[in-house]
Amino acid sequence: MTGFEITGASAADMRLIRDWADEEGWNPGDSDRFAFAVADPEGFLVGRLDGEPVACISAVRYGGGFGFIGFYIARPAVRGQGYGIRLWHAGMERLDGRLVGLDGVVDQQANYRKSGFRWAWNNFRYEGVPQGDDDGAVEIVDAGTLPFGRLAAYDRRFFPAPRDAFLSAWTGLPGRTALAAVRDGRIEGLGVIRPSSAAHRIGPLYAATPAVAAALLRGLARHTPDGLVSVDVPDANPAAAALFERLGLVPAFETARMYTGPAPDLALTELFGVTSLELG
């Protein structure tokens, strides 16, 4: 593989990686890369052939024992030539010794199993304009008005490691909206919506009940030009898919959450939408 090298991603590379993901039909958020870079500045790798970027992967470290693989893309012109697998090994080496998670597209899941990943659940991307009205049983507030420490503690119920810097950027970047559901002073839900090339993406979507999830979903959809939203819904929470179908959304895309070891103990019955297919 003369002329092939692997380097860390530059700011320009991060824009390019986002465009590649869009071309794959993954519909990444327009500003996601800014939060991604905060999560782990050295966690994004680019494979270059004679100086030209041809492949990418993210291998992001969280805390001391968890990591997440994403953005695994080889450009069509170089597929099948070994460049992608070189980059894969570099990413996995960076996460050596950690429990590693990923959200794999259908046509790559067999390869991930060969690399030691085990299926945990499927994510189905639901898209559409939420229907119906809220019952007003829970208060929906701007998440930015709540103490950040409370939001970070709440997020830890749904993610296996601290990610405060990422969460701060993810919820606070310009152009996106973060809403929290509050009842009797307790946080009972959190949702973030951000603009994308196609439908606005929602993630995470955490909620104590389907009714809370519906209230957050409708509240977030009001921050779009046409109400059209997209959410990656884990089938590990059977109530989630039932809710989205009842609200008139339809499945459009599928991935599988996989781990290299036992799945972390998360509050799956309150997980209605994963944060990001790229970073977990």
Side-chain angles (χ1 to χ4, degrees):
M1 294 189 180
T2 304
F4 183 73
E5 64 173 345
I6 296 172
T7 70
S10 66
D13 290 331
M14 293 296 289
R15 289 193 296 270
L16 185 64
I17 290 170
R18 187 259 173 218
D19 292 342
W20 288 356
D22 206 17
E23 291 176 20
E24 294 292 324
W26 299 348
N27 190 30
D30 293 347
S31 60
D32 287 1
R33 66 184 185 274
F34 299 112
F36 291 167
V38 170
D40 183 353
E42 298 178 358
F44 297 81
L45 306 178
V46 174
R48 305 178 192 277
L49 185 60
D50 297 327
E52 185 73 19
V54 296
C56 62
I57 197 169
S58 60
V60 171
R61 296 170 176 168
Y62 291 103
F66 186 63
F68 206 86
I69 288 282
F71 280 125
Y72 182 37
I73 303 171
R75 298 296 285 162
V78 302
R79 289 176 185 171
Q81 300 178 39
Y83 300 117
I85 196 64
R86 282 270 304 274
L87 201 56
W88 169 266
H89 289 313
M92 289 300 292
E93 181 178 349
R94 189 171 191 275
L95 302 180
D96 186 44
R98 296 168 178 259
L99 175 68
V100 181
L102 60 77
D103 286 311
V105 295
V106 172
D107 61 1
Q108 286 291 331
Q109 289 168 19
N111 290 330
Y112 297 142
R113 284 192 290 271
K114 292 176 183 176
S115 295
F117 284 82
R118 310 174 190 175
W119 176 88
W121 68 75
N122 291 324
N123 298 309
F124 292 93
R125 179 169 296 175
Y126 277 80
E127 295 184 348
V129 178
Q131 304 300 308
D133 298 313
D134 300 327
D135 61 13
V138 67
E139 182 184 8
I140 304 298
V141 303
D142 179 349
T145 64
L146 300 178
F148 179 74
R150 291 180 61 196
L151 290 178
Y154 183 64
D155 181 70
R156 283 296 310 277
R157 300 182 59 224
F158 306 93
F159 198 76
R163 53 175 181 175
D164 293 9
F166 166 79
L167 185 68
S168 177
W170 190 258
T171 58
L173 280 167
R176 55 182 64 196
T177 298
L179 298 178
V182 179
R183 194 194 311 268
D184 298 327
R186 301 187 310 273
I187 298 176
E188 291 201 350
L190 175 66
V192 180
I193 191 166
R194 75 261 195 208
S196 303
S197 296
H200 275 52
R201 296 281 302 281
I202 292 177
L205 183 61
Y206 308 144
T209 67
V212 171
L216 281 168
L217 183 71
R218 294 191 187 102
L220 292 166
R222 296 186 188 105
H223 292 269
T224 72
D226 52 11
L228 184 63
V229 299
S230 172
V231 192
D232 292 303
V233 180
D235 67 1
N237 179 4
L243 170 67
F244 283 93
E245 290 175 4
R246 189 163 65 248
L247 295 178
L249 280 68
V250 297
F253 183 70
E254 178 184 349
T255 60
R257 174 63 59 88
M258 308 176 81
Y259 295 100
T260 53
D265 184 17
L266 307 176
L268 294 177
T269 60
E270 299 180 32
L271 178 59
F272 287 80
V274 300
T275 302
S276 161
L277 297 184
E278 294 80 23
L279 265 70

